[in-house]
mmCIF file of all heavy atoms in Angstrom:
data_model
loop_
_atom_site.group_PDB
_atom_site.id
_atom_site.type_symbol
_atom_site.label_atom_id
_atom_site.label_comp_id
_atom_site.label_asym_id
_atom_site.label_seq_id
_atom_site.Cartn_x
_atom_site.Cartn_y
_atom_site.Cartn_z
ATOM 1 N N GLU A 1 -20.436 -162.015 25.953
ATOM 2 C CA GLU A 1 -21.033 -163.153 25.357
ATOM 3 C C GLU A 1 -22.444 -162.886 24.738
ATOM 4 O O GLU A 1 -22.784 -163.391 23.624
ATOM 5 C CB GLU A 1 -21.138 -164.404 26.267
ATOM 6 C CG GLU A 1 -19.714 -165.006 26.689
ATOM 7 C CD GLU A 1 -19.973 -166.139 27.415
ATOM 8 O OE1 GLU A 1 -20.969 -166.877 27.471
ATOM 9 O OE2 GLU A 1 -18.776 -166.584 28.107
ATOM 10 N N MET A 2 -23.067 -161.872 25.401
ATOM 11 C CA MET A 2 -24.399 -161.532 24.812
ATOM 12 C C MET A 2 -24.121 -160.729 23.410
ATOM 13 O O MET A 2 -24.884 -160.995 22.467
ATOM 14 C CB MET A 2 -25.015 -160.451 25.764
ATOM 15 C CG MET A 2 -25.601 -161.212 26.931
ATOM 16 S SD MET A 2 -26.307 -159.939 28.206
ATOM 17 C CE MET A 2 -27.709 -159.140 27.187
ATOM 18 N N ALA A 3 -23.097 -159.879 23.442
ATOM 19 C CA ALA A 3 -22.817 -159.115 22.222
ATOM 20 C C ALA A 3 -22.369 -160.017 21.050
ATOM 21 O O ALA A 3 -22.904 -159.980 19.882
ATOM 22 C CB ALA A 3 -21.806 -158.111 22.536
ATOM 23 N N SER A 4 -21.431 -160.889 21.359
ATOM 24 C CA SER A 4 -20.847 -161.716 20.344
ATOM 25 C C SER A 4 -21.971 -162.792 19.865
ATOM 26 O O SER A 4 -22.122 -163.012 18.669
ATOM 27 C CB SER A 4 -19.660 -162.443 20.743
ATOM 28 O OG SER A 4 -19.881 -163.215 21.941
ATOM 29 N N GLY A 5 -22.663 -163.281 20.939
ATOM 30 C CA GLY A 5 -23.698 -164.277 20.515
ATOM 31 C C GLY A 5 -24.856 -163.596 19.791
ATOM 32 O O GLY A 5 -25.422 -164.157 18.861
ATOM 33 N N GLY A 6 -25.271 -162.419 20.020
ATOM 34 C CA GLY A 6 -26.282 -161.567 19.369
ATOM 35 C C GLY A 6 -25.917 -161.327 17.909
ATOM 36 O O GLY A 6 -26.841 -161.599 16.986
ATOM 37 N N ALA A 7 -24.582 -161.000 17.663
ATOM 38 C CA ALA A 7 -24.212 -160.781 16.375
ATOM 39 C C ALA A 7 -24.182 -162.078 15.496
ATOM 40 O O ALA A 7 -24.699 -162.043 14.334
ATOM 41 C CB ALA A 7 -22.747 -160.336 16.297
ATOM 42 N N ALA A 8 -23.772 -163.227 16.221
ATOM 43 C CA ALA A 8 -23.902 -164.497 15.500
ATOM 44 C C ALA A 8 -25.299 -164.991 15.198
ATOM 45 O O ALA A 8 -25.676 -165.461 14.090
ATOM 46 C CB ALA A 8 -23.132 -165.603 16.325
ATOM 47 N N ALA A 9 -26.209 -164.747 16.195
ATOM 48 C CA ALA A 9 -27.584 -165.247 15.939
ATOM 49 C C ALA A 9 -28.383 -164.484 15.024
ATOM 50 O O ALA A 9 -29.161 -164.985 14.255
ATOM 51 C CB ALA A 9 -28.345 -165.136 17.414
ATOM 52 N N SER A 10 -27.999 -163.149 14.836
ATOM 53 C CA SER A 10 -28.717 -162.351 13.899
ATOM 54 C C SER A 10 -28.015 -162.040 12.508
ATOM 55 O O SER A 10 -28.528 -161.590 11.616
ATOM 56 C CB SER A 10 -28.992 -160.991 14.539
ATOM 57 O OG SER A 10 -27.855 -160.377 14.901
ATOM 58 N N GLY A 11 -26.694 -162.591 12.500
ATOM 59 C CA GLY A 11 -25.923 -162.397 11.269
ATOM 60 C C GLY A 11 -25.669 -160.972 10.937
ATOM 61 O O GLY A 11 -25.530 -160.546 9.833
ATOM 62 N N THR A 12 -25.438 -160.153 11.919
ATOM 63 C CA THR A 12 -25.075 -158.665 11.688
ATOM 64 C C THR A 12 -23.640 -158.431 11.983
ATOM 65 O O THR A 12 -23.015 -159.220 12.623
ATOM 66 C CB THR A 12 -25.972 -157.853 12.721
ATOM 67 O OG1 THR A 12 -25.710 -158.197 13.985
ATOM 68 C CG2 THR A 12 -27.377 -157.919 12.300
ATOM 69 N N ASP A 13 -23.265 -157.260 11.385
ATOM 70 C CA ASP A 13 -21.885 -156.780 11.685
ATOM 71 C C ASP A 13 -21.604 -156.301 13.035
ATOM 72 O O ASP A 13 -20.459 -156.404 13.524
ATOM 73 C CB ASP A 13 -21.555 -155.719 10.596
ATOM 74 C CG ASP A 13 -21.709 -156.053 9.171
ATOM 75 O OD1 ASP A 13 -21.085 -157.144 8.806
ATOM 76 O OD2 ASP A 13 -22.510 -155.436 8.502
ATOM 77 N N VAL A 14 -22.697 -155.769 13.665
ATOM 78 C CA VAL A 14 -22.556 -155.065 14.984
ATOM 79 C C VAL A 14 -23.669 -155.621 15.879
ATOM 80 O O VAL A 14 -24.823 -155.852 15.372
ATOM 81 C CB VAL A 14 -22.615 -153.693 14.796
ATOM 82 C CG1 VAL A 14 -22.525 -152.889 16.136
ATOM 83 C CG2 VAL A 14 -21.650 -153.062 13.813
ATOM 84 N N CYS A 15 -23.279 -155.872 17.082
ATOM 85 C CA CYS A 15 -24.434 -156.143 18.120
ATOM 86 C C CYS A 15 -23.987 -155.382 19.327
ATOM 87 O O CYS A 15 -22.915 -155.539 19.796
ATOM 88 C CB CYS A 15 -24.535 -157.643 18.288
ATOM 89 S SG CYS A 15 -25.972 -157.888 19.677
ATOM 90 N N VAL A 16 -24.919 -154.568 19.904
ATOM 91 C CA VAL A 16 -24.737 -153.908 21.224
ATOM 92 C C VAL A 16 -25.585 -154.602 22.229
ATOM 93 O O VAL A 16 -26.731 -154.934 22.030
ATOM 94 C CB VAL A 16 -25.026 -152.534 21.157
ATOM 95 C CG1 VAL A 16 -26.440 -152.233 20.770
ATOM 96 C CG2 VAL A 16 -24.575 -151.732 22.441
ATOM 97 N N ALA A 17 -24.898 -154.940 23.425
ATOM 98 C CA ALA A 17 -25.665 -155.679 24.428
ATOM 99 C C ALA A 17 -25.553 -154.911 25.781
ATOM 100 O O ALA A 17 -24.565 -154.127 26.000
ATOM 101 C CB ALA A 17 -24.967 -156.958 24.693
ATOM 102 N N ILE A 18 -26.654 -155.063 26.510
ATOM 103 C CA ILE A 18 -26.616 -154.357 27.930
ATOM 104 C C ILE A 18 -27.156 -155.323 28.974
ATOM 105 O O ILE A 18 -28.118 -155.960 28.655
ATOM 106 C CB ILE A 18 -27.620 -153.132 27.842
ATOM 107 C CG1 ILE A 18 -27.268 -152.182 26.698
ATOM 108 C CG2 ILE A 18 -27.663 -152.413 29.135
ATOM 109 C CD1 ILE A 18 -28.339 -150.978 26.473
ATOM 110 N N THR A 19 -26.442 -155.312 30.046
ATOM 111 C CA THR A 19 -27.023 -156.144 31.137
ATOM 112 C C THR A 19 -26.697 -155.329 32.440
ATOM 113 O O THR A 19 -25.573 -154.689 32.647
ATOM 114 C CB THR A 19 -26.505 -157.482 31.261
ATOM 115 O OG1 THR A 19 -26.948 -158.182 32.397
ATOM 116 C CG2 THR A 19 -24.962 -157.530 31.319
ATOM 117 N N GLY A 20 -27.729 -155.143 33.335
ATOM 118 C CA GLY A 20 -27.365 -154.286 34.517
ATOM 119 C C GLY A 20 -28.474 -154.465 35.590
ATOM 120 O O GLY A 20 -29.457 -155.302 35.483
ATOM 121 N N LEU A 21 -28.352 -153.659 36.520
ATOM 122 C CA LEU A 21 -29.249 -153.553 37.739
ATOM 123 C C LEU A 21 -29.863 -152.301 37.684
ATOM 124 O O LEU A 21 -29.337 -151.315 38.235
ATOM 125 C CB LEU A 21 -28.622 -153.754 39.052
ATOM 126 C CG LEU A 21 -27.854 -155.211 39.244
ATOM 127 C CD1 LEU A 21 -26.860 -155.376 40.393
ATOM 128 C CD2 LEU A 21 -29.134 -156.171 39.697
ATOM 129 N N ALA A 22 -31.098 -152.169 37.286
ATOM 130 C CA ALA A 22 -31.896 -150.792 37.231
ATOM 131 C C ALA A 22 -32.518 -150.550 38.534
ATOM 132 O O ALA A 22 -32.993 -149.379 38.678
ATOM 133 C CB ALA A 22 -32.821 -150.859 36.084
ATOM 134 N N GLY A 23 -32.697 -151.560 39.438
ATOM 135 C CA GLY A 23 -33.309 -151.335 40.730
ATOM 136 C C GLY A 23 -34.803 -151.193 40.752
ATOM 137 O O GLY A 23 -35.501 -151.347 39.670
ATOM 138 N N PRO A 24 -35.387 -150.651 41.849
ATOM 139 C CA PRO A 24 -34.814 -150.342 43.087
ATOM 140 C C PRO A 24 -34.248 -151.560 43.862
ATOM 141 O O PRO A 24 -33.437 -151.313 44.775
ATOM 142 C CB PRO A 24 -35.814 -149.593 43.839
ATOM 143 C CG PRO A 24 -37.122 -150.146 43.305
ATOM 144 C CD PRO A 24 -36.842 -150.540 41.867
ATOM 145 N N GLU A 25 -34.793 -152.745 43.518
ATOM 146 C CA GLU A 25 -34.273 -153.937 44.305
ATOM 147 C C GLU A 25 -33.206 -154.569 43.502
ATOM 148 O O GLU A 25 -32.866 -154.318 42.371
ATOM 149 C CB GLU A 25 -35.546 -154.957 44.644
ATOM 150 C CG GLU A 25 -36.672 -154.372 45.464
ATOM 151 C CD GLU A 25 -37.582 -153.605 44.594
ATOM 152 O OE1 GLU A 25 -37.656 -153.895 43.264
ATOM 153 O OE2 GLU A 25 -38.569 -152.892 45.061
ATOM 154 N N GLY A 26 -32.548 -155.537 44.295
ATOM 155 C CA GLY A 26 -31.623 -156.508 43.609
ATOM 156 C C GLY A 26 -30.207 -156.173 43.744
ATOM 157 O O GLY A 26 -29.302 -156.872 43.411
ATOM 158 N N GLY A 27 -30.007 -155.049 44.352
ATOM 159 C CA GLY A 27 -28.463 -154.589 44.455
ATOM 160 C C GLY A 27 -27.840 -155.282 45.690
ATOM 161 O O GLY A 27 -28.473 -155.584 46.719
ATOM 162 N N THR A 28 -26.593 -155.453 45.686
ATOM 163 C CA THR A 28 -25.597 -155.792 46.807
ATOM 164 C C THR A 28 -24.496 -154.892 46.899
ATOM 165 O O THR A 28 -24.363 -153.939 46.005
ATOM 166 C CB THR A 28 -25.215 -157.240 46.565
ATOM 167 O OG1 THR A 28 -24.334 -157.228 45.386
ATOM 168 C CG2 THR A 28 -26.291 -158.183 46.226
ATOM 169 N N ASP A 29 -23.662 -155.081 47.955
ATOM 170 C CA ASP A 29 -22.513 -154.352 48.196
ATOM 171 C C ASP A 29 -21.525 -154.528 46.949
ATOM 172 O O ASP A 29 -20.891 -153.571 46.486
ATOM 173 C CB ASP A 29 -21.793 -154.735 49.500
ATOM 174 C CG ASP A 29 -22.679 -154.285 50.662
ATOM 175 O OD1 ASP A 29 -23.396 -153.436 50.493
ATOM 176 O OD2 ASP A 29 -22.492 -154.902 51.739
ATOM 177 N N ARG A 30 -21.432 -155.721 46.430
ATOM 178 C CA ARG A 30 -20.525 -155.926 45.324
ATOM 179 C C ARG A 30 -21.083 -155.542 44.012
ATOM 180 O O ARG A 30 -20.328 -155.001 43.158
ATOM 181 C CB ARG A 30 -20.218 -157.460 45.360
ATOM 182 C CG ARG A 30 -18.937 -157.890 44.420
ATOM 183 C CD ARG A 30 -18.620 -159.235 44.685
ATOM 184 N NE ARG A 30 -19.535 -160.224 44.302
ATOM 185 C CZ ARG A 30 -19.618 -160.639 43.043
ATOM 186 N NH1 ARG A 30 -18.821 -160.352 42.067
ATOM 187 N NH2 ARG A 30 -20.609 -161.648 42.680
ATOM 188 N N LYS A 31 -22.485 -155.553 43.875
ATOM 189 C CA LYS A 31 -23.119 -155.249 42.587
ATOM 190 C C LYS A 31 -24.256 -154.358 42.994
ATOM 191 O O LYS A 31 -25.311 -154.796 43.168
ATOM 192 C CB LYS A 31 -23.555 -156.471 41.913
ATOM 193 C CG LYS A 31 -22.357 -157.276 41.209
ATOM 194 C CD LYS A 31 -22.856 -158.387 40.390
ATOM 195 C CE LYS A 31 -21.806 -159.226 39.766
ATOM 196 N NZ LYS A 31 -22.160 -160.221 38.838
ATOM 197 N N PRO A 32 -24.025 -153.079 43.091
ATOM 198 C CA PRO A 32 -25.061 -152.230 43.645
ATOM 199 C C PRO A 32 -25.926 -151.867 42.385
ATOM 200 O O PRO A 32 -25.669 -152.009 41.322
ATOM 201 C CB PRO A 32 -24.334 -150.928 44.072
ATOM 202 C CG PRO A 32 -23.060 -150.967 43.189
ATOM 203 C CD PRO A 32 -22.650 -152.376 43.010
ATOM 204 N N VAL A 33 -27.183 -151.255 42.835
ATOM 205 C CA VAL A 33 -28.182 -150.780 41.799
ATOM 206 C C VAL A 33 -27.422 -149.698 40.995
ATOM 207 O O VAL A 33 -26.836 -148.814 41.649
ATOM 208 C CB VAL A 33 -29.428 -150.317 42.453
ATOM 209 C CG1 VAL A 33 -30.234 -149.344 41.579
ATOM 210 C CG2 VAL A 33 -30.267 -151.355 43.051
ATOM 211 N N GLY A 34 -27.520 -149.722 39.705
ATOM 212 C CA GLY A 34 -26.900 -148.709 38.880
ATOM 213 C C GLY A 34 -25.809 -149.240 38.147
ATOM 214 O O GLY A 34 -25.199 -148.581 37.169
ATOM 215 N N LEU A 35 -25.296 -150.469 38.619
ATOM 216 C CA LEU A 35 -24.164 -151.116 37.915
ATOM 217 C C LEU A 35 -24.696 -151.708 36.505
ATOM 218 O O LEU A 35 -25.668 -152.434 36.520
ATOM 219 C CB LEU A 35 -23.647 -152.223 38.691
ATOM 220 C CG LEU A 35 -22.566 -153.214 38.032
ATOM 221 C CD1 LEU A 35 -21.259 -152.284 37.702
ATOM 222 C CD2 LEU A 35 -22.255 -154.246 38.945
ATOM 223 N N VAL A 36 -24.066 -151.206 35.372
ATOM 224 C CA VAL A 36 -24.443 -151.746 34.097
ATOM 225 C C VAL A 36 -23.320 -152.001 33.284
ATOM 226 O O VAL A 36 -22.321 -151.198 33.282
ATOM 227 C CB VAL A 36 -25.313 -150.555 33.396
ATOM 228 C CG1 VAL A 36 -25.615 -151.081 31.960
ATOM 229 C CG2 VAL A 36 -26.593 -150.318 34.156
ATOM 230 N N TYR A 37 -23.250 -153.154 32.542
ATOM 231 C CA TYR A 37 -22.183 -153.550 31.640
ATOM 232 C C TYR A 37 -22.835 -153.452 30.337
ATOM 233 O O TYR A 37 -24.036 -153.937 30.110
ATOM 234 C CB TYR A 37 -21.740 -154.910 31.999
ATOM 235 C CG TYR A 37 -20.792 -155.097 33.216
ATOM 236 C CD1 TYR A 37 -21.428 -155.396 34.414
ATOM 237 C CD2 TYR A 37 -19.536 -154.746 33.231
ATOM 238 C CE1 TYR A 37 -20.696 -155.637 35.622
ATOM 239 C CE2 TYR A 37 -18.644 -154.774 34.390
ATOM 240 C CZ TYR A 37 -19.352 -155.207 35.518
ATOM 241 O OH TYR A 37 -18.624 -155.272 36.748
ATOM 242 N N MET A 38 -21.999 -152.931 29.347
ATOM 243 C CA MET A 38 -22.607 -152.992 27.980
ATOM 244 C C MET A 38 -21.322 -153.300 27.036
ATOM 245 O O MET A 38 -20.172 -153.002 27.340
ATOM 246 C CB MET A 38 -23.187 -151.671 27.524
ATOM 247 C CG MET A 38 -22.380 -150.482 27.772
ATOM 248 S SD MET A 38 -23.318 -148.947 27.580
ATOM 249 C CE MET A 38 -24.355 -148.952 28.989
ATOM 250 N N ALA A 39 -21.638 -154.102 26.008
ATOM 251 C CA ALA A 39 -20.590 -154.565 25.115
ATOM 252 C C ALA A 39 -21.009 -154.284 23.667
ATOM 253 O O ALA A 39 -22.162 -154.372 23.436
ATOM 254 C CB ALA A 39 -20.246 -156.060 25.295
ATOM 255 N N CYS A 40 -20.101 -154.048 22.784
ATOM 256 C CA CYS A 40 -20.345 -153.825 21.408
ATOM 257 C C CYS A 40 -19.371 -154.708 20.651
ATOM 258 O O CYS A 40 -18.254 -154.670 20.719
ATOM 259 C CB CYS A 40 -20.187 -152.481 20.960
ATOM 260 S SG CYS A 40 -20.496 -152.197 19.178
ATOM 261 N N CYS A 41 -19.979 -155.643 19.883
ATOM 262 C CA CYS A 41 -19.247 -156.627 19.028
ATOM 263 C C CYS A 41 -19.382 -156.040 17.566
ATOM 264 O O CYS A 41 -20.433 -155.889 17.092
ATOM 265 C CB CYS A 41 -19.850 -157.929 19.105
ATOM 266 S SG CYS A 41 -18.940 -159.125 18.004
ATOM 267 N N ILE A 42 -18.245 -155.816 16.981
ATOM 268 C CA ILE A 42 -18.164 -155.342 15.602
ATOM 269 C C ILE A 42 -17.315 -156.182 14.814
ATOM 270 O O ILE A 42 -16.103 -156.223 15.006
ATOM 271 C CB ILE A 42 -17.918 -153.756 15.487
ATOM 272 C CG1 ILE A 42 -17.809 -153.396 14.100
ATOM 273 C CG2 ILE A 42 -16.505 -153.515 16.250
ATOM 274 C CD1 ILE A 42 -17.801 -151.843 13.903
ATOM 275 N N GLN A 43 -17.863 -157.056 13.980
ATOM 276 C CA GLN A 43 -17.090 -158.073 13.176
ATOM 277 C C GLN A 43 -16.116 -158.699 13.957
ATOM 278 O O GLN A 43 -14.827 -158.862 13.583
ATOM 279 C CB GLN A 43 -16.352 -157.240 11.984
ATOM 280 C CG GLN A 43 -17.488 -156.647 11.042
ATOM 281 C CD GLN A 43 -16.887 -155.930 9.759
ATOM 282 O OE1 GLN A 43 -15.819 -155.636 9.780
ATOM 283 N NE2 GLN A 43 -17.686 -155.780 8.797
ATOM 284 N N GLY A 44 -16.547 -159.333 15.130
ATOM 285 C CA GLY A 44 -15.580 -160.190 15.816
ATOM 286 C C GLY A 44 -14.996 -159.530 17.084
ATOM 287 O O GLY A 44 -14.486 -160.132 17.928
ATOM 288 N N ASN A 45 -14.804 -158.250 17.015
ATOM 289 C CA ASN A 45 -14.021 -157.502 18.066
ATOM 290 C C ASN A 45 -15.048 -157.023 19.076
ATOM 291 O O ASN A 45 -16.015 -156.306 18.684
ATOM 292 C CB ASN A 45 -13.291 -156.317 17.444
ATOM 293 C CG ASN A 45 -12.201 -156.935 16.481
ATOM 294 O OD1 ASN A 45 -11.431 -157.690 16.817
ATOM 295 N ND2 ASN A 45 -12.101 -156.235 15.330
ATOM 296 N N VAL A 46 -14.847 -157.214 20.352
ATOM 297 C CA VAL A 46 -15.717 -156.827 21.366
ATOM 298 C C VAL A 46 -15.063 -155.814 22.326
ATOM 299 O O VAL A 46 -13.969 -156.045 22.775
ATOM 300 C CB VAL A 46 -16.110 -158.130 22.138
ATOM 301 C CG1 VAL A 46 -17.229 -157.573 23.226
ATOM 302 C CG2 VAL A 46 -16.902 -159.112 21.202
ATOM 303 N N ALA A 47 -15.789 -154.792 22.513
ATOM 304 C CA ALA A 47 -15.462 -153.836 23.478
ATOM 305 C C ALA A 47 -16.449 -153.686 24.606
ATOM 306 O O ALA A 47 -17.726 -153.831 24.385
ATOM 307 C CB ALA A 47 -15.397 -152.375 22.833
#
């Protein structure tokens, strides 16, 4: 949603989004420090 929303908000063909836990605090067993999700929206298609 960050990637698709960023593309819509800025009116660009491509938007790359990153969200993650860089630490050193904030990690859990389910979501440890170092877990990062990134998405690329290109003309409506999101990877």
Side-chain angles (χ1 to χ4, degrees):
E1 292 187 19
M2 286 174 67
S4 56
S10 57
T12 56
D13 301 303
V14 182
C15 180
V16 62
I18 305 175
T19 180
L21 291 163
E25 299 88 15
T28 65
D29 290 341
R30 193 167 65 88
K31 293 185 178 182
V33 168
L35 173 63
V36 178
Y37 290 96
M38 53 190 70
C40 181
C41 177
I42 177 165
Q43 295 183 342
N45 297 311
V46 183

